[in-house]
């Protein structure tokens, strides 16, 4: 899936020891708390394993769902993104048409919304495959999910990075919209 056994070992290490980035102190509840429902955990667990393999901690994607919508399945943003994973209808439709098994999927159904969100995470993760450090690659993945892939790539070019030499997320982060920086930080904080 992600380049063989070496990537699997890197991912295992990443999720066993956590991301190594400096975070601002945020007053947030953790992924595993009585505050958040566990209702959707089987979907997050199944789709994380399906798209990222058995060594990936599915809680990262639940943290992303919390950051996106507070796990509310019927929330719609002012930009018309919908559901737990806050997918744009056009993105969902593209996934539905291209993604294996999504033929009858509906954006309103939490299981399909979560599946499509994690499917899209995998697409972004593979987009950033030239980044060797898996934790950095996930920072880019979550950042691109929030800000858009093209915006992240444009910022990489702006700070003088190249596909052979990607800037550290912390260096790129300073050039991103505050919303995106806070989004990635919130996912990390929820996992502490």
């Amino acid at each position: 899936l992600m380049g063989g056994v070496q990537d699997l070992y890197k991912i295992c290490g990443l999720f066993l020891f956590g991301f190594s980035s400096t975070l601002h102190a945020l007053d947030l509840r953790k992924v595993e708390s009585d505050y958040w429902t566990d209702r959707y955990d089987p979907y997050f667990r199944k789709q994380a394993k399906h798209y990222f393999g058995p060594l990936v901690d599915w809680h990262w994607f639940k943290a992303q769902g919390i950051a996106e919508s507070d796990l509310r399945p019927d929330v719609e943003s002012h930009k018309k993104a919908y559901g737990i994973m806050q997918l744009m209808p056009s993105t969902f439709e593209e996934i539905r048409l291209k993604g294996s098994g999504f033929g009858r999927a509906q954006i309103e159904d939490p299981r399909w919304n979560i599946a499509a969100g994690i499917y899209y995470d995998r697409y972004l993760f593979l987009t950033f495959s030239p980044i060797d450090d898996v934790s950095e690659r996930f920072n880019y993945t979550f950042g691109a999910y929030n800000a858009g892939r093209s915006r992240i790539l444009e910022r990489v070019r702006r700070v003088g990075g190249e596909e052979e030499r990607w800037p550290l997320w912390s260096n790129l982060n300073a050039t991103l919209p505050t919303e995106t920086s806070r989004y990635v930080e919130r996912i990390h904080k929820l996992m502490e």
Side-chain angles (χ1 to χ4, degrees):
L1 171 67
M2 293 175 281
V5 175
Q6 283 184 326
D7 275 342
L8 288 176
Y9 285 126
K10 287 179 185 177
I11 289 172
C12 182
L14 167 70
F15 291 105
L16 286 175
F17 301 109
F19 286 100
S20 60
S21 66
T22 306
L23 301 175
H24 301 291
L26 300 173
D27 182 24
L28 299 171
R29 292 175 170 84
K30 308 301 178 232
V31 170
E32 289 297 320
S33 75
D34 292 335
Y35 187 80
W36 305 111
T37 182
D38 61 357
R39 180 176 175 196
Y40 306 110
D41 288 2
Y43 302 144
F44 284 108
R45 198 177 288 121
K46 177 182 178 179
Q47 298 307 326
K49 182 178 179 181
H50 181 72
Y51 291 113
F52 282 86
L55 300 177
V56 172
D57 184 350
W58 60 272
H59 290 94
W60 287 104
F61 304 106
K62 182 176 181 180
Q64 183 182 22
I66 292 169
E68 286 291 344
S69 68
D70 291 334
L71 298 178
R72 294 179 296 159
D74 57 354
V75 69
E76 185 175 339
S77 77
H78 67 282
K79 293 182 179 180
K80 304 295 183 203
Y82 191 83
I84 291 171
M85 299 303 281
Q86 286 294 283
L87 290 158
M88 294 298 291
S90 59
T91 302
F92 187 86
E93 184 62 16
E94 186 177 330
I95 291 168
R96 197 180 69 71
L97 294 172
K98 291 182 179 179
S100 176
F102 284 92
R104 296 182 182 198
Q106 298 296 316
I107 196 170
E108 298 84 7
D109 185 334
R111 70 184 166 142
W112 290 113
N113 194 279
I114 291 167
I118 297 173
Y119 174 94
Y120 190 59
D121 280 329
R122 179 177 176 264
Y123 162 75
L124 293 169
F125 187 82
L126 294 174
T127 296
F128 299 114
S129 62
I131 300 171
D132 289 330
D133 185 283
V134 177
S135 63
E136 284 290 300
R137 206 158 137 194
F138 268 96
N139 285 331
Y140 273 85
T141 297
F142 292 135
Y145 192 102
N146 179 264
R149 180 180 163 270
S150 60
R151 179 180 272 173
I152 297 297
L153 293 174
E154 183 270 323
R155 298 301 164 105
V156 167
R157 285 188 290 277
R158 185 182 290 181
V159 298
E162 301 170 14
E163 287 191 14
E164 306 87 43
R165 205 182 83 233
W166 291 76
L168 292 174
W169 178 256
S170 57
N171 294 337
L172 186 69
N173 196 23
T175 71
L176 295 172
T178 304
E179 174 190 338
T180 301
S181 298
R182 288 183 180 162
Y183 173 80
V184 175
E185 287 176 6
R186 185 169 188 212
I187 292 171
H188 285 276
K189 192 67 176 173
L190 285 161
M191 290 297 291
E192 288 182 349

